[in-house]
Amino acid sequence: MIRLAAALSLALTATALLIAAQQTPAVAPRQPTFRSEANYIRVDAFIATRDGVAIEDLTLADFELLEDGVLQKIEAFEHVRIQPAGPQVARIEPNSQQIGHQMAAEPRARVFVLFLDVDHVPVEGSYRLKTALAAMLTRMLGVDDFIGILTSRHSPTDLILARKTALIEEQLEKYWYWGQMHGLSLHPDETSYLACYGRYPGGETVAYEMIARRREKLALDALRDLVVYLRGVREERKAVLILTAGWPLFRPDLRLARPLGSRGGGVMAPPPIIVGPGGQPRSGDDPREPSQQTRCDQHRLELAQIDHWDAFQRLMQDANRANVSFYPIDPRGLVVFDTPISAPAIPSLTMDAAMVRARQTSLRTLAEETDGLAVVSTNNLVEGLRKISADLTSYYLLGYYSPNASLDGKYHRITVRVKRPGAVVRARKGYRAASRDEVARGAEVSAAPPAAARAGNAAAASALNRLSLIRPDAAMYVHATHERGGALWVAGEIPAATARTDAWARGVRVSIMAVDASGSTVGVARKEIAPGQRDFVTPVALDDPAVTPARVQVRAEPAGAPAVGLEVAPLAGAPLLMRRSGAATPKAAADFRFFRTEELIYRWPLAASESSGRVRVLDRAGEGMALSSSPVEQSADGGRWMTGTLTLAPLVNGDYLLELTKQAAGATKTVLVPFRIAR
């Protein structure tokens, strides 16, 4: 699965580069005719007969639109008919990802995303879809439409919206084996589950349930991230075609959290004896580098408590708020058994049938609640895709002014009715009004260009994507940051597993070299890590402090062991992070994974004209949380710093963002720092 994800990543990157290479100068997008005041709401309605045939001769007089049950005046009306886009060469591509997103904001342009749920599609299903999808794209896309492709293993920031489908079709044809449901390839975490529990009676069943729960969580998180990202691209409707077999939507199960010894056999190994603070022996893992068994037990407890039905409900609410419609497609066709006979763990026939029903119900519910269509339990995938294509090629655009002028942050239901007998209406179900807090935050960026405001969600996703680069098996972690006009700061952190080896325990000599884009050295430094120490922070003087180096190369030489070489790209204008447990001395944090028992300490350099601003904690969707830190100004290491401490105990396991701002000459500078609560 890891190799496949890498192949798909390269394929998508290559697609983006090829699109850029073939692009022609972009034309200025047409100005929309709809007005865009704060209380102006756009609604696109799909009207068809009960047989699914689009009704195309309706007029404004045939429609009624209600908000919260109250009839509203329809201010704008238009029937949109989409014609096939014609030859690929006639389609005009945007010159960049940013311009593509700007052009996609045009109300009459439609936006489609193919979402490949890698872990929930069998390989035979991905093979069946390759030609049917190509035919659907040809029928469905108009000359102004945009389409992108994303897998459940990618960040939404990888999404490239384009008008030409040839390259996407080529990748689907070339990588037809992308479906990995019931595949043999496992993620390292999944392999560790089998290694931890396979030796206990019934332990293999526990491991495979953990794997299923982990994969379902990844898929739902990826979809929610995509919804948040698309909300920042445009207000108008976005269609996400999800290629997936569906999800059972796991609920909390305390039986999974029981010690395996209580399941009828096997005795859990006693915790190890380690040397704790002050040289005193104590029982248990090193809190900074737990054993594989401890990590497995942590994951098991977390996965046992997940409630994916609740996460599923939030996903649909977010989709309605963002005006995203889901079109789930189950490529398995007419399903008899959910689990193949070759699977390592075979459930009972009753449980297997319940799993089939749960998966199909989740897909139908997702489509119904977001005004999409579901193609499930049918072997005629071509006909199912044709219905989706017909559904999306003829619709009505309606616009009205909402009577809700208050900033209540509440959800307001929209109902569209058609007076013609027998008409089936599918339209946006509602919207969530802005709250006073959201308006206040929006005022902070009101002077910025519209593209900057839309980039807010992309910035959060891009920052969180850096967490995916963490290597659990790394011998050393390095973080580098540079503030224009100052020194380059480099922090290093040695994992406990590495530090326990004899060579690393005797001390480490670190050599640091900063290089520019041409490979020329622009700064060097050396640092000694004393025996028993596991971290360092050091400045690197640069030949030109105004220019951030392209790369920082770090060579760590432990006594009597092979050297380790690392290379990182320094972050411009980012803070340094430290970690502290209890009353201990703060340590450098180059691995941005923290424990709830720790405190996160940030240090952000301040220029002479700059002053401290505010600090907030954001969730993975970029939403503010009721947790903050009060920064102070501090003079240390030859400069001024904005510094503060964040207590992590209130946070649950997951990914978060630290939003820091500072003031300079009436302007505000903001930086997003991702961090992960691992336990």
Side-chain angles (χ1 to χ4, degrees):
M1 183 163 56
I2 295 174
R3 291 181 179 178
L4 175 66
L8 282 169
S9 177
L10 290 173
L12 291 176
T13 302
T15 300
L17 293 175
L18 285 171
I19 289 174
Q22 296 178 6
Q23 284 164 348
T24 57
V27 296
R30 295 175 299 183
Q31 293 299 316
T33 58
F34 287 113
R35 288 164 285 185
S36 57
E37 285 86 343
N39 64 335
Y40 187 79
I41 308 298
R42 299 185 183 96
V43 180
D44 40 4
F46 298 81
I47 317 297
T49 66
R50 298 193 183 278
D51 296 328
V53 178
I55 300 176
E56 300 190 355
D57 59 347
L58 298 175
T59 65
L60 174 60
D62 293 314
F63 284 87
E64 288 183 343
L65 189 149
L66 298 87
E67 179 178 313
D68 295 332
V70 179
L71 189 66
Q72 305 296 322
K73 179 183 178 182
I74 300 175
E75 298 283 351
F77 172 84
E78 182 180 359
H79 181 207
V80 179
R81 298 180 182 87
I82 304 299
Q83 299 297 327
Q88 300 273 331
V89 294
R91 306 179 194 178
I92 299 176
E93 294 283 27
N95 290 331
S96 66
Q97 183 185 43
Q98 180 181 2
I99 294 177
H101 289 180
Q102 292 174 350
M103 295 172 66
E106 158 70 29
R108 290 177 182 79
R110 297 178 304 166
V111 171
F112 301 93
V113 177
L114 289 180
F115 183 87
L116 313 184
D117 189 357
V118 173
D119 293 320
H120 297 96
V121 171
V123 66
E124 62 271 19
S126 58
Y127 178 80
R128 290 180 63 199
L129 274 173
K130 61 176 186 174
T131 54
L133 278 175
M136 183 191 71
L137 295 178
T138 300
R139 287 195 306 265
M140 184 175 64
L141 289 187
V143 68
D144 293 326
D145 294 340
F146 288 86
I147 187 167
I149 184 170
L150 199 70
T151 79
S152 54
R153 294 300 186 189
H154 287 79
S155 164
T157 55
D158 296 325
L159 182 65
I160 302 294
L161 296 177
R163 283 174 169 160
K164 297 181 180 180
T165 62
L167 295 174
I168 292 178
E169 294 168 11
E170 177 185 331
Q171 300 305 326
L172 290 173
E173 177 74 26
K174 184 177 181 180
Y175 296 99
W176 59 266
Y177 52 87
W178 57 265
Q180 290 293 291
M181 187 178 184
H182 307 307
L184 299 178
S185 298
L186 299 176
H187 185 274
D189 281 351
E190 299 170 349
T191 302
S192 70
Y193 301 160
L194 290 169
C196 288
Y197 303 121
R199 62 185 183 274
Y200 298 106
E204 191 173 81
T205 301
V206 170
Y208 279 112
E209 181 174 344
M210 290 173 63
I211 291 172
R213 285 172 171 257
R214 176 186 179 274
R215 293 183 176 185
E216 186 173 271
K217 182 179 187 303
L218 291 175
L220 294 178
D221 284 349
L223 279 172
R224 184 163 187 253
D225 289 345
L226 176 60
V227 166
V228 172
Y229 186 81
L230 290 176
R231 188 179 71 197
V233 172
R234 59 185 254 145
E235 176 190 343
E236 289 74 22
R237 188 185 185 105
K238 286 78 63 177
V240 178
L241 283 65
I242 310 177
L243 280 56
T244 181
W247 317 282
L249 299 178
F250 290 103
R251 305 299 297 270
D253 186 356
L254 296 182
R255 294 174 300 176
L256 184 65
R258 295 174 184 170
L260 262 65
S262 67
R263 289 175 174 258
V267 179
M268 302 295 285
I273 303 298
I274 67 169
V275 178
Q280 298 298 317
R282 66 179 179 84
S283 174
D285 278 346
D286 186 314
R288 282 299 310 131
E289 192 65 29
S291 66
Q292 182 187 56
Q293 184 65 54
T294 298
R295 287 196 298 269
C296 288
D297 290 341
Q298 292 169 359
H299 287 194
R300 182 163 57 88
L301 293 175
E302 294 165 10
L303 292 171
Q305 298 174 51
I306 59 176
D307 189 344
H308 281 166
W309 176 250
D310 182 63
F312 186 66
Q313 295 292 325
R314 292 198 306 271
L315 171 64
M316 292 186 293
Q317 292 170 4
D318 289 343
N320 282 323
R321 175 185 176 187
N323 206 5
V324 170
S325 294
F326 288 118
Y327 290 80
I329 303 165
D330 185 353
R332 299 183 302 171
L334 190 60
V335 180
V336 179
F337 298 107
D338 186 71
T339 307
I341 195 65
S342 59
I346 306 295
S348 66
L349 291 178
T350 301
M351 291 182 62
D352 189 84
M355 191 72 75
V356 172
R357 289 194 299 272
R359 291 185 187 277
Q360 293 179 348
T361 298
S362 68
L363 298 186
R364 291 191 176 101
T365 302
L366 187 64
E368 291 170 1
E369 292 299 316
T370 61
D371 303 317
L373 289 177
V375 179
V376 299
S377 193
T378 176
N379 287 328
N380 193 349
L381 289 177
V382 174
E383 177 61 20
L385 295 179
R386 187 199 65 77
K387 289 182 178 180
I388 291 178
S389 176
D391 184 75
L392 292 171
T393 52
S394 177
Y395 61 98
Y396 296 85
L397 275 177
L398 313 175
Y400 76 100
Y401 287 98
S402 169
N404 173 50
S406 61
L407 303 175
D408 55 14
K410 296 180 180 179
Y411 183 81
H412 298 271
R413 181 163 294 277
I414 296 174
T415 304
V416 176
R417 298 194 299 224
V418 174
K419 300 174 184 177
R420 183 172 301 187
V424 178
V425 181
R426 291 185 18 261
R428 183 177 184 178
K429 293 183 179 297
Y431 70 96
R432 192 183 71 83
S435 66
R436 294 187 182 278
D437 182 59
E438 290 171 331
V439 171
R441 293 203 304 267
E444 297 178 2
V445 296
S446 61
R454 288 196 300 271
N457 293 326
S462 177
L464 287 169
N465 199 39
R466 296 204 297 270
L467 294 175
S468 65
L469 302 178
I470 297 176
R471 290 179 48 198
D473 59 342
M476 186 176 184
Y477 297 100
V478 174
H479 170 59
T481 177
H482 175 241
E483 191 77 19
R484 181 182 177 88
L488 169 75
W489 286 88
V490 180
E493 188 175 11
I494 303 173
T498 302
R500 282 194 292 264
T501 62
D502 291 340
W504 288 78
R506 292 196 294 267
V508 182
R509 183 172 59 190
V510 179
S511 301
I512 303 169
M513 183 168 62
V515 299
D516 60 17
S518 66
S520 301
T521 302
V522 294
V524 296
R526 289 178 174 81
K527 187 72 176 180
E528 296 286 339
I529 303 178
Q533 298 297 313
R534 291 172 43 194
D535 69 297
F536 73 87
V537 178
T538 186
V540 180
L542 300 174
D543 295 344
D544 185 355
V547 178
T548 299
R551 300 185 306 280
V552 174
Q553 299 170 345
V554 178
R555 179 180 174 85
E557 302 176 72
V564 172
L566 300 171
E567 183 175 282
V568 297
L571 299 177
L576 289 169
L577 295 189
M578 313 284 286
R579 66 175 82 249
R580 179 169 58 199
S581 297
T585 302
K587 304 294 183 182
D591 170 8
F592 285 10
R593 292 174 295 180
F594 292 81
F595 292 161
R596 296 174 63 243
T597 54
E598 295 178 324
E599 293 178 324
L600 185 157
I601 301 172
Y602 52 87
R603 295 182 64 197
W604 199 14
L606 293 172
S609 60
E610 294 177 334
S611 60
S612 297
R614 69 174 184 175
V615 178
R616 294 195 308 153
V617 179
L618 312 179
D619 63 15
R620 63 181 291 117
E623 300 289 344
M625 303 180 65
L627 185 66
S628 62
S629 170
S630 299
V632 297
E633 295 186 13
Q634 182 184 72
S635 296
D637 298 320
R640 294 171 59 244
W641 301 81
M642 171 179 159
T643 183
T645 301
L646 180 68
T647 301
L648 303 178
L651 299 176
V652 299
N653 293 3
D655 296 343
Y656 300 89
L657 292 161
L658 196 63
E659 181 190 70
L660 293 86
T661 62
K662 59 184 178 182
Q663 307 294 328
T668 299
K669 181 177 181 180
T670 303
V671 65
L672 296 176
V673 183
F675 66 96
R676 176 172 294 166
I677 302 298
R679 188 178 71 183

